[in-house]
Amino acid sequence: MKFLLVGINAKYIHSNPAVYSLAAYAKKQTDADGEPLKKHIEIAEYTINQNPEEILSDIYCRKPDVIAFSCYIWNIRLVEELMEELHQIREDLPIWLGGPEVSFHTREMFTRFPYLTGIMVGEGEKTFAQLLQAYCDDSPLLMEDLEKIAGIATVNGLTKERECMDLNEIPFFYEDLSDFENRIIYYESSRGCPFRCKYCLSSIEKKLRFRNVETVKRELQVFLDAKVPQVKFIDRTFNANHEHAMEIWRYIKENDNNVTNFHFEISADLLREEEIALLQTMRPGLVQLEIGVQSTNAKTIAAINRTTDLTKLGRAVAKLGEKENIHRHLDLIAGLPYEDYESFHQSFNDVYNMHPQQLQLGFLKVLKGADMEKQAQEYGIVYRKQPPYEVLYTKWLDFAEMIRLKRIEEMVELFYNSGQFATTIRFMEQFYKDPFLMYEELAEYYEENGYLATASKRALHYERFLAFAAKKDPQRIEVYRELLTYDCYLRENMKTRPDFCNKQDTYREIIHDFYKTEAKQMKNLMHLEFFRYPVWENCEKKVEVPFKEVQKVIFDYRERNPVTKACCVIISKGENQYGI
């Protein structure tokens, strides 16, 4: 008997920890004959970008006796399509579903898909193990057998609710890392969340539970020994327990392999001075933090049931940025109650001025089962009926304003979050009343010129920004040209010189001599550039004061900042090791 667990990910680099966790727990169990259940389990992972026919063919060739799909907002459409086709090909095949996208409207699923066998509701490890055991022990499996298993839904309704389990009962499922090569490692040290945010499914969790910290250390050491590139903790609020967070942070610092990066989602206003002090001592690039702000409108914060202390949050984010060793990712959500366009404008500026490495401008998704779904009508929140159930408009934000925010989001991703325009953007900001207005005007420029609908190479966006600057601030066009040149070479060793850069013909002999020195072998790892303005200065007003003589700058790509990804820059001040 083969039970096939199917995970369909958004990208190849992702993996599905849910199916691996279900399998790991069930593999410890035995059937009625004392035989291990693990021989009956097979895992198949695909991506939403694959051809459905290709996935269908692969599933068919695996010849499962039972199949279960892990369901989320990003894959549910594809899962439903595959279910339909599978049922036509294998009418006898029992089909199960599980995951957040199908756990809250089970009756609707059985109405739409009457051939569906059942749904594993909520936390699934014990449910799946008992279900698998039932299939192994009883053939055929009868409805009365299913109704004895807690935590499932059948056409007859829900069975007994499944109690929360001890996380320490779940085996470590990364013993063989070969299955996860070139993929993000997802790790869970806790389940549940202390908060009850109305838009989040974590608010439904009954209990906040933690994996034993000594167990966590042993398991993290597996990743450290293997030097995996990134471990992403999927704990909803990693620092909900101070001692737990400190123990793990201390451990990864003390056992740092100078390669692995650890990603944590935290609540910054909960951070204590001791935690901040420890984080400030981390190797640059060892840790990155995702911090959900969502809004700075007090009425909005109260309406969504958050308890954020924005003053503490801002102070913590500022302290975390002092040593420039931690990537800080801050989130905002458009479409929340009481947040109109001007209010969001203010929220954006408040968070932008915290100077995160990334500012994610997201849009409310009205998830099935979340409190926001129940209150959507009350708040006048109208959202897409198809996944990902994203907001269309609210009492406070109309659809036209939502479109404007979408375009601004695109500009933020392109010119801020990419890190490709850092010095240029910082310089231009000073000529606007606030940052939001700058991105709003950039969005309007892109729309007017038809750039929003086209996918373009990065170099083209430098040219477009220069054209925008020429229109907005023509008297400083040469400063912008050099700012963009600096930004461009700071992160990318361009093989072909971009058109927007100043010509270097005057310095051809100097460049030739530079590559004849000991830098000759490093020609492909360095770039020599000439500047008339100190575009690297942090004081914006100094940037537009030209040098008396042209300044030589070496971009050295052998070394990069782990946080910003910028290369090493050598500003020439008289004779140096390269003879310039």
Side-chain angles (χ1 to χ4, degrees), residues 260-280:
T260 305
N261 163 266
F262 291 89
H263 176 106
F264 301 94
E265 189 170 338
I266 68 164
S267 183
D269 58 322
L270 292 184
L271 285 174
R272 300 181 186 179
E273 292 299 325
E274 183 185 13
E275 289 170 305
I276 293 172
L278 174 62
L279 289 166
Q280 288 178 325

Side-chain angles (χ1 to χ4, degrees), residues 120-188:
M120 288 178 267
V121 176
E123 192 169 69
E125 284 87 356
K126 287 188 175 181
T127 304
F128 172 67
Q130 291 179 11
L131 184 63
L132 177 59
Q133 200 162 40
Y135 270 107
C136 291
D137 295 346
D138 298 299
S139 184
L141 197 62
L142 303 175
M143 185 61 72
E144 48 263 38
D145 297 319
L146 293 177
E147 290 175 351
K148 294 175 185 175
I149 301 172
I152 66 172
T154 69
V155 69
N156 293 337
L158 293 165
T159 63
K160 182 182 176 182
E161 185 176 356
R162 172 71 62 185
E163 292 184 3
C164 293
M165 69 184 297
D166 182 348
L167 287 193
N168 296 297
E169 295 178 24
I170 303 173
F172 184 60
F173 53 81
Y174 285 111
E175 297 291 358
D176 182 4
L177 285 168
S178 61
D179 291 335
F180 302 94
E181 194 172 349
N182 301 317
R183 302 169 81 184
I184 297 171
I185 298 292
Y186 295 99
Y187 184 80
E188 183 179 43

Side-chain angles (χ1 to χ4, degrees), residues 3-6 18-19 22-23 26 66-71 94-106 109-110 116-132 135 146 149-154 157-160 162:
F3 200 124
L4 184 65
L5 291 171
V6 177
V19 295
L22 264 61
V66 189
I67 191 168
F69 292 92
S70 180
C71 304
I95 298 176
W96 286 82
L97 304 178
E101 183 56 24
V102 293
S103 288
F104 301 99
H105 291 264
T106 56
M109 291 301 294
F110 286 106
L116 184 61
T117 310
I119 298 172
M120 288 178 267
V121 176
E123 192 169 69
E125 284 87 356
K126 287 188 175 181
T127 304
F128 172 67
Q130 291 179 11
L131 184 63
L132 177 59
Y135 270 107
L146 293 177
I149 301 172
I152 66 172
T154 69
L158 293 165
T159 63
K160 182 182 176 182
R162 172 71 62 185

Side-chain angles (χ1 to χ4, degrees), residues 251-408:
Y251 187 82
I252 63 174
K253 181 196 171 184
E254 291 166 3
N255 295 274
D256 182 17
N257 60 14
N258 292 311
V259 173
T260 305
N261 163 266
F262 291 89
H263 176 106
F264 301 94
E265 189 170 338
I266 68 164
S267 183
D269 58 322
L270 292 184
L271 285 174
R272 300 181 186 179
E273 292 299 325
E274 183 185 13
E275 289 170 305
I276 293 172
L278 174 62
L279 289 166
Q280 288 178 325
T281 66
M282 299 284 192
R283 164 182 63 85
L286 175 58
V287 165
Q288 64 186 54
L289 302 176
E290 183 172 350
I291 300 164
V293 183
Q294 321 314 6
S295 173
T296 61
N297 181 323
K299 197 169 182 180
T300 299
I301 293 294
I304 60 177
N305 214 22
R306 283 178 73 86
T307 54
T308 309
D309 185 325
L310 290 169
T311 302
K312 282 186 179 179
L313 185 149
R315 190 181 303 124
V317 170
K319 286 186 177 181
L320 289 169
E322 285 177 355
K323 304 296 182 182
E324 299 183 348
N325 66 323
I326 294 175
H327 175 103
R328 295 159 299 143
H329 175 131
L330 272 57
D331 297 332
L332 280 173
I333 298 178
L336 294 171
Y338 303 106
E339 186 99 88
D340 61 17
Y341 192 83
E342 284 309 310
S343 169
F344 190 83
H345 180 154
Q346 185 61 51
S347 290
F348 179 95
N349 287 331
D350 290 340
V351 174
Y352 188 91
N353 289 328
M354 295 180 191
H355 307 294
Q357 274 70 42
Q358 276 201 301
L359 169 53
Q360 182 175 323
L361 200 170
F363 293 80
L364 176 66
K365 294 173 178 60
V366 183
L367 303 177
K368 290 181 177 180
D371 285 344
M372 192 59 73
E373 182 190 28
K374 301 165 190 171
Q375 292 186 278
Q377 190 171 0
E378 174 189 344
Y379 289 129
I381 295 173
V382 176
Y383 57 96
R384 292 175 59 188
K385 297 306 179 186
Q386 299 298 321
Y389 315 113
E390 194 168 271
V391 63
L392 293 170
Y393 62 89
T394 73
K395 283 182 182 178
W396 301 274
L397 269 171
D398 63 33
F399 187 57
E401 290 170 326
M402 207 67 75
I403 291 171
R404 286 171 70 188
L405 291 179
K406 283 276 186 181
R407 290 167 180 163
I408 291 169

Side-chain angles (χ1 to χ4, degrees), residues 50-63:
Q50 285 180 259
N51 188 313
E53 185 177 342
E54 176 188 338
I55 299 174
L56 187 65
S57 298
D58 187 69
I59 290 173
Y60 179 80
C61 291
R62 290 173 183 265
K63 296 181 169 55

Side-chain angles (χ1 to χ4, degrees), residues 41-54:
I41 305 169
E42 188 173 314
I43 293 174
E45 285 191 277
Y46 310 99
T47 78
I48 58 174
N49 300 311
Q50 285 180 259
N51 188 313
E53 185 177 342
E54 176 188 338

